[in-house]
């Protein structure tokens, strides 16, 4: 109930204005949002690199209905990628892109505009010597996102995508994407989805995650295990070993600000760990999803507002 309420509020303009206007929100947001500018994001990347961690950078901004804003997002990614290359960080840092930030929801030709814009970001990533992964948003976007992925992979075979274990369709999507060269980031899923398309029970989502992991680990692609769940992290390690995968044949991924000690532990023990670093001013939707994932975050947020 609370999770659904927070996720619904995460898409409400009026609640957004209220939360953003409160100056006391910012320090809490900074736990999850590493930086405001590309320069600060590059500095955060360097600090994570010093701890042996890899990075994927997400320029915040989603659900745009303005083609100018979509173009600005593309320019922002191009700037970020140039910066990663010039600062020698591109070997260890890639970018993550939400297609709704580059035009997928535009009323006329949204899918084509998103494809063209994503292509520009892929060209910039190729020039920088790194990769792009497409985030997955709510279930109504999955077919469109996977179709754009297929088109992009014709010219940029290294483009990756996120699949969400809470969706009933995802096992089949894993089978379809387990081929050579594919890169799949498997997560549980962060949106409010109806029972007709998504498992509602946590244990069902976890079981689906393991089934999907098995398919990806036994496949020929590169699995990216995006979870902070200690049980699933341990199972991923076992499945990788059983499939004969070494430390370079798959990776773990976690969000900036969540279980940082565990992130360092995995890297220190020889695993590859990539941190998802969100940056920019459009933090509202991302922040609300982080609150929804863990009720304790909401309590912490409210307490910090009350004690300032
Ligand atoms: P679970 O929610 O069960 O959490 C396991 C443990 O992790 C918790 O007990 C707690 O200790 C810790 N934890 C998890 N979330 C926390 C939080 N917000 N604050 C504090 N502690 C927390 N989703 C999506 O729909 N589309 C996408 O494209 C992506 N992309 C993505 C990339 C990467 C790299 C990651 C790690 C995650 C995503 N997600 C996502 C989010 C994902 O779907 C999911 O909501 C979160 O990762 C939380 O799920 P866990 O697997 O961590 O398990």
């Amino acid at each position: 109930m609370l999770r659904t309420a927070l996720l619904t509020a995460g898409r409400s303009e009026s609640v957004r204005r209220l939360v953003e206007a409160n100056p006391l929100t910012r320090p809490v947001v900074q736990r999850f949002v590493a930086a405001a500018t590309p320069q600060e994001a590059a500095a955060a990347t360097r600090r994570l690199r010093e701890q042996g961690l890899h990075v994927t950078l997400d320029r915040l901004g989603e659900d745009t209905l303005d083609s100018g804003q979509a173009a600005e997002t593309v320019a922002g990614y191009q700037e970020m990628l140039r910066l990663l290359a010039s600062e020698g960080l591109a070997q260890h840092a890639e970018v993550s892109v939400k297609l709704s930030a580059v035009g997928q929801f535009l009323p006329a030709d949204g899918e084509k505009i998103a494809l063209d814009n994503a292509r520009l970001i892929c060209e910039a990533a190729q020039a920088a010597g790194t990769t792009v992964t497409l985030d997955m948003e709510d279930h109504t976007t999955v077919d469109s996102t996977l179709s754009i992925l297929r088109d992009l992979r014709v010219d940029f075979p290294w483009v990756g995508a996120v699949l969400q274990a809470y969706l009933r369709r995802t096992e089949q999507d894993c089978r379809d994407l387990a081929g050579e060269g594919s890169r799949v980031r498997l997560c549980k899923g962060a949106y409010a989805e109806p029972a007709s398309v998504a498992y509602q029970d946590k244990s069902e989502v976890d079981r689906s995650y393991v089934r999907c992991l098995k398919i990806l680990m036994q496949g020929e692609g590169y699995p990216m295990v995006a979870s902070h769940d200690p049980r699933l992290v341990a199972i991923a390690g076992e499945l990788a070993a059983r499939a004969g995968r070494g430390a370079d044949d798959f990776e773990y991924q976690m969000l900036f600000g969540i279980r940082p000690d565990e992130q360092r532990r995995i890297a220190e023990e020889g695993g590859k760990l990539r941190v998802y670093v969100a940056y920019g001013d459009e933090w509202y939707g991302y922040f609300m999803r982080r609150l929804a994932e863990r009720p304790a975050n909401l309590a912490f947020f409210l307490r910090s507002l009350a004690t300032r």
Side-chain angles (χ1 to χ4, degrees):
M1 281 278 279
L2 179 60
R3 177 174 176 272
T4 309
L6 284 166
L7 292 173
T8 307
R11 287 194 142 166
S12 153
E13 262 311 305
S14 48
V15 184
R16 177 193 188 114
R17 278 196 295 275
L18 264 180
V19 175
E20 285 185 349
N22 190 330
L24 301 179
T25 307
R26 184 44 95 165
V28 188
V29 170
Q30 280 169 348
R31 178 181 162 198
F32 301 110
V33 177
T37 65
Q39 289 71 22
E40 288 170 14
T45 301
R46 203 170 311 106
R47 285 193 294 276
L48 291 164
R49 261 320 290 155
E50 284 161 11
Q51 300 169 44
L53 304 171
H54 299 252
V55 170
T56 183
L57 286 155
D58 165 33
R59 185 185 189 277
L60 291 165
E62 54 195 75
D63 294 354
T64 191
L65 293 173
D66 174 348
S67 57
Q69 199 182 341
E72 232 173 75
T73 297
V74 173
Y77 272 109
Q78 289 167 324
E79 181 188 359
M80 187 75 249
L81 286 157
R82 277 194 301 272
L83 203 55
L84 290 178
S86 68
E87 301 214 358
L89 294 165
Q91 197 192 337
H92 301 287
E94 61 139 37
V95 295
S96 288
V97 177
K98 283 188 176 48
L99 290 174
S100 79
V102 294
Q104 194 177 27
F105 294 170
L106 288 173
D109 278 343
E111 190 168 312
K112 182 175 178 312
I113 293 167
L115 170 61
D116 291 345
N117 280 337
R119 205 182 279 286
L120 294 173
I121 297 172
C122 289
E123 281 166 5
Q126 185 153 278
T130 188
T131 53
V132 175
T133 302
L134 302 180
D135 282 340
M136 194 59 83
E137 301 176 67
D138 72 51
H139 77 277
T140 62
T141 66
V142 177
D143 282 327
S144 162
T145 299
L146 294 181
S147 158
I148 290 174
L149 173 74
R150 271 191 299 276
D151 284 346
L152 289 173
R153 287 193 68 207
V154 173
D155 294 321
F156 310 102
W158 39 259
V159 177
V162 175
L163 293 178
Q164 299 150 317
Y166 66 10
L167 293 184
R168 297 176 193 277
R169 61 176 285 168
T170 294
E171 248 181 283
Q172 186 54 47
D173 288 334
C174 285
R175 276 186 210 102
D176 295 343
L177 281 176
E180 202 182 334
S182 90
R183 295 166 59 249
V184 176
R185 170 182 296 158
L186 182 66
C187 69
K188 288 189 187 180
Y191 295 80
E193 299 288 16
S196 53
V197 298
Y199 301 112
Q200 306 290 306
D201 194 62
K202 184 178 159 27
S203 60
E204 271 191 300
V205 176
D206 290 356
R207 280 199 295 275
S208 168
Y209 196 104
V210 174
R211 289 195 299 275
C212 292
L213 256 187
K214 281 185 183 159
I215 295 166
L216 295 175
M217 289 292 183
Q218 284 162 11
E220 295 168 303
Y222 183 75
M224 303 183 276
V225 183
S227 177
H228 316 88
D229 186 330
R231 222 180 106 247
L232 293 179
V233 167
I235 290 173
E238 283 165 26
L239 290 175
R242 222 183 285 165
R245 287 177 182 268
D248 288 336
D249 301 326
F250 74 106
E251 68 185 49
Y252 300 96
Q253 300 190 340
M254 295 189 189
L255 301 177
F256 177 84
I258 301 182
R259 305 196 73 210
D261 294 346
E262 179 66 0
Q263 297 178 9
R264 282 189 294 272
R265 181 195 68 78
I266 290 175
E268 278 161 17
E269 291 181 2
K272 186 167 177 184
L273 188 296
R274 190 176 300 274
V275 185
Y276 185 104
V277 174
Y279 74 96
D281 295 325
E282 299 282 321
W283 45 261
Y284 178 69
Y286 181 84
F287 176 63
M288 293 301 276
R289 286 195 293 279
R290 301 298 75 85
L291 290 190
E293 276 155 5
R294 199 165 175 247
N297 287 345
L298 180 64
F300 173 72
F301 175 51
L302 295 175
R303 232 184 359 259
S304 69
L305 291 187
T307 54
R308 276 160 213 266

